Amino acid sequence: MQIFIYFIAWFFWTLAVAWFSVNLLKPHYGRPYPVHFTYEPSFFNHFMHWDAVWYTHIAVYGYRNSTVHIPTIAFFPGYPIIMKFIHSVVDKNISFLYILPAIAFQGASIYMLYLLLKDLNKKDSTIYMTVLLFTFYPSSFFGMSAYPVSALNFFAISVFYFLRKKEQLLASFLAGLGTLFGPLAVFLSVVVFFDTAKSQKTTDYIKAIFYALVSLWGFFAFVVYSFYKFKDPIAFIHAQDWWGKPTLFERLSNIIMLIPHDIPSHPISTPLGVYEFDHFVNLLVMIAYILIIVFALDRLPFHYTLFAVLILLEYLWALGGIFINTSAFARLSYISVPVFIAIAELLEDYPWVNGVVAPLFFFGNFVLEALFVKNYWSI
């Protein structure tokens, strides 16, 4: 019952923050989208910004691999497939219907994390506090947008849960399904491999490799589709060049120079300069992420820590080539289940951790959603 209350509280909190943003923040319309559709009038249109528009474009028109406009093949097909089904039924772009699956995945993610922590034998107070922090993580509002964030969370948490239940085949299938929704789910194959290998009395690498490959079936399907459609099996990787193709030195330089870019400097559309400030919030979340993993290093299995580190490294790699600031970290790190397991571990011995993490998460959630709703680049 308490988990359901968390979900309901998240839903109305997210709507309340959106109302605040719509009515009190100055608008910022970002860059224009070269698209040819409109959404039916709805308050939920405020959640259909940035990548959500491109997912809609894919659902309505299919994929394209362009060097002139954004190559939509860069986006993975899981969520657009759901949106395409909805569009084929109603033949309209109704934002709430596009968002509804994300809301369902968010609720399912919250419940699955509860089951996972119960299986880890955590105290009830620790479980509920950790689930609360997950529910109001700074990027949880993407559970109310046409983004695959909450779907990725659901599949990732489910994989960790079913591996603990020794149901490797089911875990591998769900991991593979997750790879249809985003590239970060590919790292779940690492968890599947190590967990399967160590679960045997005698190490069985053949079985571990088999399940690891099964956990990539969605990714392999996208590769086959890319080859069939564009004669390029990794078109979704080559499409990243649209945002720039830095050399290794330039990429490393960009990463090193991130922090100076994140200090608030001058206002953009708001009196407080919150456009820069949202980057600063993401930077704080990234620092908290790293510290949580470091301090819980001896409390997590090796492959759990490895998964969290791979998420961080992939983010930094992309960061050096695309963002040149710490935007998007809160969104991309939400899939990192081991971080929430680590938080639960730390809360059991150091309750004061909650006094540091909770204000950061709630404040970050408010800032990032308020800006996203007004179409700031705060994703």
Side-chain angles (χ1 to χ4, degrees), residues 78-102:
Y79 206 84
I81 290 174
I82 297 174
M83 295 173 71
K84 186 174 183 64
F85 173 77
I86 294 170
H87 185 266
S88 67
V89 172
V90 301
D91 198 28
K92 292 180 179 179
N93 293 307
I94 302 175
S95 56
F96 178 73
L97 292 182
Y98 285 155
I99 290 169
L100 194 57

mmCIF file with all atom_site columns, all heavy atoms in Angstrom, residues 78-102:
data_model
loop_
_atom_site.group_PDB
_atom_site.id
_atom_site.type_symbol
_atom_site.label_atom_id
_atom_site.label_alt_id
_atom_site.label_comp_id
_atom_site.label_asym_id
_atom_site.label_entity_id
_atom_site.label_seq_id
_atom_site.pdbx_PDB_ins_code
_atom_site.Cartn_x
_atom_site.Cartn_y
_atom_site.Cartn_z
_atom_site.occupancy
_atom_site.B_iso_or_equiv
_atom_site.pdbx_formal_charge
_atom_site.auth_seq_id
_atom_site.auth_comp_id
_atom_site.auth_asym_id
_atom_site.auth_atom_id
_atom_site.pdbx_PDB_model_num
ATOM 1   N N   . GLY A 1 78  ? 12.346 0.815  -29.114 1.00 0.00 ? 78  GLY A N   1
ATOM 2   C CA  . GLY A 1 78  ? 11.387 0.258  -28.173 1.00 0.00 ? 78  GLY A CA  1
ATOM 3   C C   . GLY A 1 78  ? 10.184 1.145  -27.912 1.00 0.00 ? 78  GLY A C   1
ATOM 4   O O   . GLY A 1 78  ? 9.028  0.731  -28.123 1.00 0.00 ? 78  GLY A O   1
ATOM 5   N N   . TYR A 1 79  ? 10.422 2.363  -27.446 1.00 0.00 ? 79  TYR A N   1
ATOM 6   C CA  . TYR A 1 79  ? 9.288  3.230  -27.111 1.00 0.00 ? 79  TYR A CA  1
ATOM 7   C C   . TYR A 1 79  ? 8.534  3.706  -28.349 1.00 0.00 ? 79  TYR A C   1
ATOM 8   O O   . TYR A 1 79  ? 7.296  3.757  -28.335 1.00 0.00 ? 79  TYR A O   1
ATOM 9   C CB  . TYR A 1 79  ? 9.741  4.416  -26.261 1.00 0.00 ? 79  TYR A CB  1
ATOM 10  C CG  . TYR A 1 79  ? 8.618  4.936  -25.392 1.00 0.00 ? 79  TYR A CG  1
ATOM 11  C CD1 . TYR A 1 79  ? 8.349  4.349  -24.160 1.00 0.00 ? 79  TYR A CD1 1
ATOM 12  C CD2 . TYR A 1 79  ? 7.792  5.971  -25.814 1.00 0.00 ? 79  TYR A CD2 1
ATOM 13  C CE1 . TYR A 1 79  ? 7.296  4.781  -23.370 1.00 0.00 ? 79  TYR A CE1 1
ATOM 14  C CE2 . TYR A 1 79  ? 6.738  6.411  -25.035 1.00 0.00 ? 79  TYR A CE2 1
ATOM 15  C CZ  . TYR A 1 79  ? 6.492  5.809  -23.809 1.00 0.00 ? 79  TYR A CZ  1
ATOM 16  O OH  . TYR A 1 79  ? 5.443  6.228  -23.033 1.00 0.00 ? 79  TYR A OH  1
ATOM 17  N N   . PRO A 1 80  ? 9.218  4.048  -29.447 1.00 0.00 ? 80  PRO A N   1
ATOM 18  C CA  . PRO A 1 80  ? 8.472  4.406  -30.659 1.00 0.00 ? 80  PRO A CA  1
ATOM 19  C C   . PRO A 1 80  ? 7.545  3.306  -31.162 1.00 0.00 ? 80  PRO A C   1
ATOM 20  O O   . PRO A 1 80  ? 6.500  3.588  -31.748 1.00 0.00 ? 80  PRO A O   1
ATOM 21  C CB  . PRO A 1 80  ? 9.579  4.706  -31.677 1.00 0.00 ? 80  PRO A CB  1
ATOM 22  C CG  . PRO A 1 80  ? 10.722 5.165  -30.858 1.00 0.00 ? 80  PRO A CG  1
ATOM 23  C CD  . PRO A 1 80  ? 10.654 4.329  -29.606 1.00 0.00 ? 80  PRO A CD  1
ATOM 24  N N   . ILE A 1 81  ? 7.915  2.030  -30.954 1.00 0.00 ? 81  ILE A N   1
ATOM 25  C CA  . ILE A 1 81  ? 7.031  0.935  -31.359 1.00 0.00 ? 81  ILE A CA  1
ATOM 26  C C   . ILE A 1 81  ? 5.720  1.004  -30.587 1.00 0.00 ? 81  ILE A C   1
ATOM 27  O O   . ILE A 1 81  ? 4.627  0.842  -31.157 1.00 0.00 ? 81  ILE A O   1
ATOM 28  C CB  . ILE A 1 81  ? 7.726  -0.428 -31.134 1.00 0.00 ? 81  ILE A CB  1
ATOM 29  C CG1 . ILE A 1 81  ? 8.865  -0.610 -32.136 1.00 0.00 ? 81  ILE A CG1 1
ATOM 30  C CG2 . ILE A 1 81  ? 6.721  -1.575 -31.255 1.00 0.00 ? 81  ILE A CG2 1
ATOM 31  C CD1 . ILE A 1 81  ? 9.706  -1.854 -31.891 1.00 0.00 ? 81  ILE A CD1 1
ATOM 32  N N   . ILE A 1 82  ? 5.814  1.273  -29.280 1.00 0.00 ? 82  ILE A N   1
ATOM 33  C CA  . ILE A 1 82  ? 4.604  1.415  -28.462 1.00 0.00 ? 82  ILE A CA  1
ATOM 34  C C   . ILE A 1 82  ? 3.791  2.609  -28.945 1.00 0.00 ? 82  ILE A C   1
ATOM 35  O O   . ILE A 1 82  ? 2.561  2.528  -29.091 1.00 0.00 ? 82  ILE A O   1
ATOM 36  C CB  . ILE A 1 82  ? 4.981  1.589  -26.979 1.00 0.00 ? 82  ILE A CB  1
ATOM 37  C CG1 . ILE A 1 82  ? 5.693  0.339  -26.460 1.00 0.00 ? 82  ILE A CG1 1
ATOM 38  C CG2 . ILE A 1 82  ? 3.734  1.878  -26.135 1.00 0.00 ? 82  ILE A CG2 1
ATOM 39  C CD1 . ILE A 1 82  ? 6.218  0.475  -25.043 1.00 0.00 ? 82  ILE A CD1 1
ATOM 40  N N   . MET A 1 83  ? 4.477  3.723  -29.212 1.00 0.00 ? 83  MET A N   1
ATOM 41  C CA  . MET A 1 83  ? 3.783  4.927  -29.675 1.00 0.00 ? 83  MET A CA  1
ATOM 42  C C   . MET A 1 83  ? 3.142  4.705  -31.045 1.00 0.00 ? 83  MET A C   1
ATOM 43  O O   . MET A 1 83  ? 2.041  5.208  -31.314 1.00 0.00 ? 83  MET A O   1
ATOM 44  C CB  . MET A 1 83  ? 4.762  6.098  -29.726 1.00 0.00 ? 83  MET A CB  1
ATOM 45  C CG  . MET A 1 83  ? 5.309  6.506  -28.365 1.00 0.00 ? 83  MET A CG  1
ATOM 46  S SD  . MET A 1 83  ? 6.627  7.751  -28.472 1.00 0.00 ? 83  MET A SD  1
ATOM 47  C CE  . MET A 1 83  ? 5.693  9.194  -28.984 1.00 0.00 ? 83  MET A CE  1
ATOM 48  N N   . LYS A 1 84  ? 3.809  3.953  -31.905 1.00 0.00 ? 84  LYS A N   1
ATOM 49  C CA  . LYS A 1 84  ? 3.256  3.678  -33.233 1.00 0.00 ? 84  LYS A CA  1
ATOM 50  C C   . LYS A 1 84  ? 1.967  2.871  -33.124 1.00 0.00 ? 84  LYS A C   1
ATOM 51  O O   . LYS A 1 84  ? 0.999  3.119  -33.862 1.00 0.00 ? 84  LYS A O   1
ATOM 52  C CB  . LYS A 1 84  ? 4.278  2.921  -34.081 1.00 0.00 ? 84  LYS A CB  1
ATOM 53  C CG  . LYS A 1 84  ? 3.838  2.714  -35.536 1.00 0.00 ? 84  LYS A CG  1
ATOM 54  C CD  . LYS A 1 84  ? 4.936  2.095  -36.362 1.00 0.00 ? 84  LYS A CD  1
ATOM 55  C CE  . LYS A 1 84  ? 4.515  1.950  -37.817 1.00 0.00 ? 84  LYS A CE  1
ATOM 56  N NZ  . LYS A 1 84  ? 4.276  3.267  -38.458 1.00 0.00 ? 84  LYS A NZ  1
ATOM 57  N N   . PHE A 1 85  ? 1.950  1.918  -32.194 1.00 0.00 ? 85  PHE A N   1
ATOM 58  C CA  . PHE A 1 85  ? 0.733  1.137  -31.973 1.00 0.00 ? 85  PHE A CA  1
ATOM 59  C C   . PHE A 1 85  ? -0.401 2.057  -31.518 1.00 0.00 ? 85  PHE A C   1
ATOM 60  O O   . PHE A 1 85  ? -1.534 1.964  -32.018 1.00 0.00 ? 85  PHE A O   1
ATOM 61  C CB  . PHE A 1 85  ? 0.980  0.048  -30.932 1.00 0.00 ? 85  PHE A CB  1
ATOM 62  C CG  . PHE A 1 85  ? -0.267 -0.687 -30.522 1.00 0.00 ? 85  PHE A CG  1
ATOM 63  C CD1 . PHE A 1 85  ? -0.825 -1.648 -31.340 1.00 0.00 ? 85  PHE A CD1 1
ATOM 64  C CD2 . PHE A 1 85  ? -0.875 -0.390 -29.310 1.00 0.00 ? 85  PHE A CD2 1
ATOM 65  C CE1 . PHE A 1 85  ? -1.972 -2.317 -30.965 1.00 0.00 ? 85  PHE A CE1 1
ATOM 66  C CE2 . PHE A 1 85  ? -2.032 -1.047 -28.921 1.00 0.00 ? 85  PHE A CE2 1
ATOM 67  C CZ  . PHE A 1 85  ? -2.585 -2.025 -29.756 1.00 0.00 ? 85  PHE A CZ  1
ATOM 68  N N   . ILE A 1 86  ? -0.102 2.957  -30.583 1.00 0.00 ? 86  ILE A N   1
ATOM 69  C CA  . ILE A 1 86  ? -1.123 3.897  -30.095 1.00 0.00 ? 86  ILE A CA  1
ATOM 70  C C   . ILE A 1 86  ? -1.620 4.782  -31.236 1.00 0.00 ? 86  ILE A C   1
ATOM 71  O O   . ILE A 1 86  ? -2.822 4.997  -31.406 1.00 0.00 ? 86  ILE A O   1
ATOM 72  C CB  . ILE A 1 86  ? -0.546 4.763  -28.954 1.00 0.00 ? 86  ILE A CB  1
ATOM 73  C CG1 . ILE A 1 86  ? -0.248 3.892  -27.733 1.00 0.00 ? 86  ILE A CG1 1
ATOM 74  C CG2 . ILE A 1 86  ? -1.505 5.891  -28.584 1.00 0.00 ? 86  ILE A CG2 1
ATOM 75  C CD1 . ILE A 1 86  ? 0.531  4.597  -26.642 1.00 0.00 ? 86  ILE A CD1 1
ATOM 76  N N   . HIS A 1 87  ? -0.688 5.281  -32.047 1.00 0.00 ? 87  HIS A N   1
ATOM 77  C CA  . HIS A 1 87  ? -1.056 6.158  -33.164 1.00 0.00 ? 87  HIS A CA  1
ATOM 78  C C   . HIS A 1 87  ? -1.905 5.414  -34.193 1.00 0.00 ? 87  HIS A C   1
ATOM 79  O O   . HIS A 1 87  ? -2.848 5.989  -34.769 1.00 0.00 ? 87  HIS A O   1
ATOM 80  C CB  . HIS A 1 87  ? 0.205  6.720  -33.831 1.00 0.00 ? 87  HIS A CB  1
ATOM 81  C CG  . HIS A 1 87  ? -0.075 7.717  -34.897 1.00 0.00 ? 87  HIS A CG  1
ATOM 82  N ND1 . HIS A 1 87  ? -0.179 7.376  -36.225 1.00 0.00 ? 87  HIS A ND1 1
ATOM 83  C CD2 . HIS A 1 87  ? -0.291 9.058  -34.843 1.00 0.00 ? 87  HIS A CD2 1
ATOM 84  C CE1 . HIS A 1 87  ? -0.432 8.445  -36.954 1.00 0.00 ? 87  HIS A CE1 1
ATOM 85  N NE2 . HIS A 1 87  ? -0.505 9.480  -36.137 1.00 0.00 ? 87  HIS A NE2 1
ATOM 86  N N   . SER A 1 88  ? -1.596 4.140  -34.413 1.00 0.00 ? 88  SER A N   1
ATOM 87  C CA  . SER A 1 88  ? -2.370 3.372  -35.392 1.00 0.00 ? 88  SER A CA  1
ATOM 88  C C   . SER A 1 88  ? -3.793 3.124  -34.911 1.00 0.00 ? 88  SER A C   1
ATOM 89  O O   . SER A 1 88  ? -4.714 2.964  -35.725 1.00 0.00 ? 88  SER A O   1
ATOM 90  C CB  . SER A 1 88  ? -1.675 2.037  -35.680 1.00 0.00 ? 88  SER A CB  1
ATOM 91  O OG  . SER A 1 88  ? -1.693 1.198  -34.533 1.00 0.00 ? 88  SER A OG  1
ATOM 92  N N   . VAL A 1 89  ? -3.990 3.121  -33.590 1.00 0.00 ? 89  VAL A N   1
ATOM 93  C CA  . VAL A 1 89  ? -5.326 2.888  -33.034 1.00 0.00 ? 89  VAL A CA  1
ATOM 94  C C   . VAL A 1 89  ? -6.159 4.161  -33.053 1.00 0.00 ? 89  VAL A C   1
ATOM 95  O O   . VAL A 1 89  ? -7.324 4.156  -33.484 1.00 0.00 ? 89  VAL A O   1
ATOM 96  C CB  . VAL A 1 89  ? -5.227 2.331  -31.598 1.00 0.00 ? 89  VAL A CB  1
ATOM 97  C CG1 . VAL A 1 89  ? -6.615 2.268  -30.949 1.00 0.00 ? 89  VAL A CG1 1
ATOM 98  C CG2 . VAL A 1 89  ? -4.593 0.949  -31.610 1.00 0.00 ? 89  VAL A CG2 1
ATOM 99  N N   . VAL A 1 90  ? -5.579 5.278  -32.602 1.00 0.00 ? 90  VAL A N   1
ATOM 100 C CA  . VAL A 1 90  ? -6.364 6.519  -32.476 1.00 0.00 ? 90  VAL A CA  1
ATOM 101 C C   . VAL A 1 90  ? -6.187 7.458  -33.662 1.00 0.00 ? 90  VAL A C   1
ATOM 102 O O   . VAL A 1 90  ? -6.993 8.380  -33.840 1.00 0.00 ? 90  VAL A O   1
ATOM 103 C CB  . VAL A 1 90  ? -6.006 7.259  -31.169 1.00 0.00 ? 90  VAL A CB  1
ATOM 104 C CG1 . VAL A 1 90  ? -6.280 6.379  -29.960 1.00 0.00 ? 90  VAL A CG1 1
ATOM 105 C CG2 . VAL A 1 90  ? -4.551 7.713  -31.163 1.00 0.00 ? 90  VAL A CG2 1
ATOM 106 N N   . ASP A 1 91  ? -5.131 7.260  -34.449 1.00 0.00 ? 91  ASP A N   1
ATOM 107 C CA  . ASP A 1 91  ? -4.840 8.080  -35.632 1.00 0.00 ? 91  ASP A CA  1
ATOM 108 C C   . ASP A 1 91  ? -4.715 9.570  -35.287 1.00 0.00 ? 91  ASP A C   1
ATOM 109 O O   . ASP A 1 91  ? -5.028 10.442 -36.099 1.00 0.00 ? 91  ASP A O   1
ATOM 110 C CB  . ASP A 1 91  ? -5.908 7.889  -36.708 1.00 0.00 ? 91  ASP A CB  1
ATOM 111 C CG  . ASP A 1 91  ? -5.430 8.353  -38.081 1.00 0.00 ? 91  ASP A CG  1
ATOM 112 O OD1 . ASP A 1 91  ? -4.208 8.303  -38.328 1.00 0.00 ? 91  ASP A OD1 1
ATOM 113 O OD2 . ASP A 1 91  ? -6.279 8.797  -38.888 1.00 0.00 ? 91  ASP A OD2 1
ATOM 114 N N   . LYS A 1 92  ? -4.271 9.858  -34.056 1.00 0.00 ? 92  LYS A N   1
ATOM 115 C CA  . LYS A 1 92  ? -4.038 11.231 -33.628 1.00 0.00 ? 92  LYS A CA  1
ATOM 116 C C   . LYS A 1 92  ? -2.812 11.231 -32.719 1.00 0.00 ? 92  LYS A C   1
ATOM 117 O O   . LYS A 1 92  ? -2.431 10.199 -32.166 1.00 0.00 ? 92  LYS A O   1
ATOM 118 C CB  . LYS A 1 92  ? -5.241 11.798 -32.863 1.00 0.00 ? 92  LYS A CB  1
ATOM 119 C CG  . LYS A 1 92  ? -6.494 12.006 -33.693 1.00 0.00 ? 92  LYS A CG  1
ATOM 120 C CD  . LYS A 1 92  ? -7.619 12.582 -32.836 1.00 0.00 ? 92  LYS A CD  1
ATOM 121 C CE  . LYS A 1 92  ? -8.877 12.812 -33.648 1.00 0.00 ? 92  LYS A CE  1
ATOM 122 N NZ  . LYS A 1 92  ? -9.983 13.350 -32.802 1.00 0.00 ? 92  LYS A NZ  1
ATOM 123 N N   . ASN A 1 93  ? -2.208 12.398 -32.580 1.00 0.00 ? 93  ASN A N   1
ATOM 124 C CA  . ASN A 1 93  ? -1.074 12.544 -31.672 1.00 0.00 ? 93  ASN A CA  1
ATOM 125 C C   . ASN A 1 93  ? -1.578 13.091 -30.341 1.00 0.00 ? 93  ASN A C   1
ATOM 126 O O   . ASN A 1 93  ? -1.628 14.307 -30.132 1.00 0.00 ? 93  ASN A O   1
ATOM 127 C CB  . ASN A 1 93  ? -0.017 13.456 -32.287 1.00 0.00 ? 93  ASN A CB  1
ATOM 128 C CG  . ASN A 1 93  ? 0.624  12.842 -33.510 1.00 0.00 ? 93  ASN A CG  1
ATOM 129 O OD1 . ASN A 1 93  ? 1.115  11.726 -33.461 1.00 0.00 ? 93  ASN A OD1 1
ATOM 130 N ND2 . ASN A 1 93  ? 0.592  13.560 -34.619 1.00 0.00 ? 93  ASN A ND2 1
ATOM 131 N N   . ILE A 1 94  ? -1.995 12.206 -29.477 1.00 0.00 ? 94  ILE A N   1
ATOM 132 C CA  . ILE A 1 94  ? -2.533 12.578 -28.171 1.00 0.00 ? 94  ILE A CA  1
ATOM 133 C C   . ILE A 1 94  ? -1.439 12.344 -27.139 1.00 0.00 ? 94  ILE A C   1
ATOM 134 O O   . ILE A 1 94  ? -1.080 11.193 -26.841 1.00 0.00 ? 94  ILE A O   1
ATOM 135 C CB  . ILE A 1 94  ? -3.794 11.770 -27.842 1.00 0.00 ? 94  ILE A CB  1
ATOM 136 C CG1 . ILE A 1 94  ? -4.857 11.994 -28.930 1.00 0.00 ? 94  ILE A CG1 1
ATOM 137 C CG2 . ILE A 1 94  ? -4.335 12.149 -26.466 1.00 0.00 ? 94  ILE A CG2 1
ATOM 138 C CD1 . ILE A 1 94  ? -6.103 11.150 -28.759 1.00 0.00 ? 94  ILE A CD1 1
ATOM 139 N N   . SER A 1 95  ? -0.915 13.421 -26.598 1.00 0.00 ? 95  SER A N   1
ATOM 140 C CA  . SER A 1 95  ? 0.266  13.324 -25.749 1.00 0.00 ? 95  SER A CA  1
ATOM 141 C C   . SER A 1 95  ? 0.041  12.422 -24.538 1.00 0.00 ? 95  SER A C   1
ATOM 142 O O   . SER A 1 95  ? 0.926  11.641 -24.164 1.00 0.00 ? 95  SER A O   1
ATOM 143 C CB  . SER A 1 95  ? 0.725  14.722 -25.307 1.00 0.00 ? 95  SER A CB  1
ATOM 144 O OG  . SER A 1 95  ? -0.328 15.411 -24.661 1.00 0.00 ? 95  SER A OG  1
ATOM 145 N N   . PHE A 1 96  ? -1.121 12.508 -23.889 1.00 0.00 ? 96  PHE A N   1
ATOM 146 C CA  . PHE A 1 96  ? -1.343 11.699 -22.696 1.00 0.00 ? 96  PHE A CA  1
ATOM 147 C C   . PHE A 1 96  ? -1.274 10.206 -23.018 1.00 0.00 ? 96  PHE A C   1
ATOM 148 O O   . PHE A 1 96  ? -0.727 9.417  -22.238 1.00 0.00 ? 96  PHE A O   1
ATOM 149 C CB  . PHE A 1 96  ? -2.687 12.025 -22.043 1.00 0.00 ? 96  PHE A CB  1
ATOM 150 C CG  . PHE A 1 96  ? -2.965 11.178 -20.826 1.00 0.00 ? 96  PHE A CG  1
ATOM 151 C CD1 . PHE A 1 96  ? -2.264 11.401 -19.638 1.00 0.00 ? 96  PHE A CD1 1
ATOM 152 C CD2 . PHE A 1 96  ? -3.898 10.146 -20.863 1.00 0.00 ? 96  PHE A CD2 1
ATOM 153 C CE1 . PHE A 1 96  ? -2.491 10.607 -18.519 1.00 0.00 ? 96  PHE A CE1 1
ATOM 154 C CE2 . PHE A 1 96  ? -4.138 9.359  -19.750 1.00 0.00 ? 96  PHE A CE2 1
ATOM 155 C CZ  . PHE A 1 96  ? -3.433 9.594  -18.576 1.00 0.00 ? 96  PHE A CZ  1
ATOM 156 N N   . LEU A 1 97  ? -1.813 9.810  -24.163 1.00 0.00 ? 97  LEU A N   1
ATOM 157 C CA  . LEU A 1 97  ? -1.762 8.401  -24.539 1.00 0.00 ? 97  LEU A CA  1
ATOM 158 C C   . LEU A 1 97  ? -0.333 7.972  -24.828 1.00 0.00 ? 97  LEU A C   1
ATOM 159 O O   . LEU A 1 97  ? 0.055  6.832  -24.530 1.00 0.00 ? 97  LEU A O   1
ATOM 160 C CB  . LEU A 1 97  ? -2.648 8.144  -25.764 1.00 0.00 ? 97  LEU A CB  1
ATOM 161 C CG  . LEU A 1 97  ? -4.154 8.297  -25.547 1.00 0.00 ? 97  LEU A CG  1
ATOM 162 C CD1 . LEU A 1 97  ? -4.912 7.978  -26.827 1.00 0.00 ? 97  LEU A CD1 1
ATOM 163 C CD2 . LEU A 1 97  ? -4.640 7.407  -24.408 1.00 0.00 ? 97  LEU A CD2 1
ATOM 164 N N   . TYR A 1 98  ? 0.469  8.856  -25.410 1.00 0.00 ? 98  TYR A N   1
ATOM 165 C CA  . TYR A 1 98  ? 1.881  8.541  -25.645 1.00 0.00 ? 98  TYR A CA  1
ATOM 166 C C   . TYR A 1 98  ? 2.654  8.423  -24.337 1.00 0.00 ? 98  TYR A C   1
ATOM 167 O O   . TYR A 1 98  ? 3.613  7.658  -24.227 1.00 0.00 ? 98  TYR A O   1
ATOM 168 C CB  . TYR A 1 98  ? 2.525  9.628  -26.512 1.00 0.00 ? 98  TYR A CB  1
ATOM 169 C CG  . TYR A 1 98  ? 2.148  9.589  -27.971 1.00 0.00 ? 98  TYR A CG  1
ATOM 170 C CD1 . TYR A 1 98  ? 2.210  10.740 -28.751 1.00 0.00 ? 98  TYR A CD1 1
ATOM 171 C CD2 . TYR A 1 98  ? 1.733  8.416  -28.583 1.00 0.00 ? 98  TYR A CD2 1
ATOM 172 C CE1 . TYR A 1 98  ? 1.882  10.717 -30.108 1.00 0.00 ? 98  TYR A CE1 1
ATOM 173 C CE2 . TYR A 1 98  ? 1.397  8.378  -29.931 1.00 0.00 ? 98  TYR A CE2 1
ATOM 174 C CZ  . TYR A 1 98  ? 1.475  9.530  -30.687 1.00 0.00 ? 98  TYR A CZ  1
ATOM 175 O OH  . TYR A 1 98  ? 1.153  9.495  -32.017 1.00 0.00 ? 98  TYR A OH  1
ATOM 176 N N   . ILE A 1 99  ? 2.226  9.194  -23.338 1.00 0.00 ? 99  ILE A N   1
ATOM 177 C CA  . ILE A 1 99  ? 2.915  9.217  -22.046 1.00 0.00 ? 99  ILE A CA  1
ATOM 178 C C   . ILE A 1 99  ? 2.473  8.062  -21.146 1.00 0.00 ? 99  ILE A C   1
ATOM 179 O O   . ILE A 1 99  ? 3.246  7.585  -20.310 1.00 0.00 ? 99  ILE A O   1
ATOM 180 C CB  . ILE A 1 99  ? 2.655  10.577 -21.348 1.00 0.00 ? 99  ILE A CB  1
ATOM 181 C CG1 . ILE A 1 99  ? 3.381  11.697 -22.090 1.00 0.00 ? 99  ILE A CG1 1
ATOM 182 C CG2 . ILE A 1 99  ? 3.075  10.542 -19.887 1.00 0.00 ? 99  ILE A CG2 1
ATOM 183 C CD1 . ILE A 1 99  ? 2.974  13.084 -21.634 1.00 0.00 ? 99  ILE A CD1 1
ATOM 184 N N   . LEU A 1 100 ? 1.260  7.589  -21.335 1.00 0.00 ? 100 LEU A N   1
ATOM 185 C CA  . LEU A 1 100 ? 0.675  6.593  -20.433 1.00 0.00 ? 100 LEU A CA  1
ATOM 186 C C   . LEU A 1 100 ? 1.549  5.355  -20.234 1.00 0.00 ? 100 LEU A C   1
ATOM 187 O O   . LEU A 1 100 ? 1.711  4.897  -19.091 1.00 0.00 ? 100 LEU A O   1
ATOM 188 C CB  . LEU A 1 100 ? -0.717 6.200  -20.943 1.00 0.00 ? 100 LEU A CB  1
ATOM 189 C CG  . LEU A 1 100 ? -1.612 5.425  -19.964 1.00 0.00 ? 100 LEU A CG  1
ATOM 190 C CD1 . LEU A 1 100 ? -1.809 6.225  -18.671 1.00 0.00 ? 100 LEU A CD1 1
ATOM 191 C CD2 . LEU A 1 100 ? -2.964 5.124  -20.612 1.00 0.00 ? 100 LEU A CD2 1
ATOM 192 N N   . PRO A 1 101 ? 2.149  4.784  -21.286 1.00 0.00 ? 101 PRO A N   1
ATOM 193 C CA  . PRO A 1 101 ? 3.029  3.618  -21.048 1.00 0.00 ? 101 PRO A CA  1
ATOM 194 C C   . PRO A 1 101 ? 4.215  3.954  -20.146 1.00 0.00 ? 101 PRO A C   1
ATOM 195 O O   . PRO A 1 101 ? 4.623  3.121  -19.323 1.00 0.00 ? 101 PRO A O   1
ATOM 196 C CB  . PRO A 1 101 ? 3.497  3.236  -22.461 1.00 0.00 ? 101 PRO A CB  1
ATOM 197 C CG  . PRO A 1 101 ? 2.450  3.774  -23.371 1.00 0.00 ? 101 PRO A CG  1
ATOM 198 C CD  . PRO A 1 101 ? 1.982  5.048  -22.728 1.00 0.00 ? 101 PRO A CD  1
ATOM 199 N N   . ALA A 1 102 ? 4.777  5.169  -20.290 1.00 0.00 ? 102 ALA A N   1
ATOM 200 C CA  . ALA A 1 102 ? 5.897  5.572  -19.434 1.00 0.00 ? 102 ALA A CA  1
ATOM 201 C C   . ALA A 1 102 ? 5.455  5.643  -17.975 1.00 0.00 ? 102 ALA A C   1
ATOM 202 O O   . ALA A 1 102 ? 6.206  5.255  -17.072 1.00 0.00 ? 102 ALA A O   1
ATOM 203 C CB  . ALA A 1 102 ? 6.452  6.918  -19.897 1.00 0.00 ? 102 ALA A CB  1
#
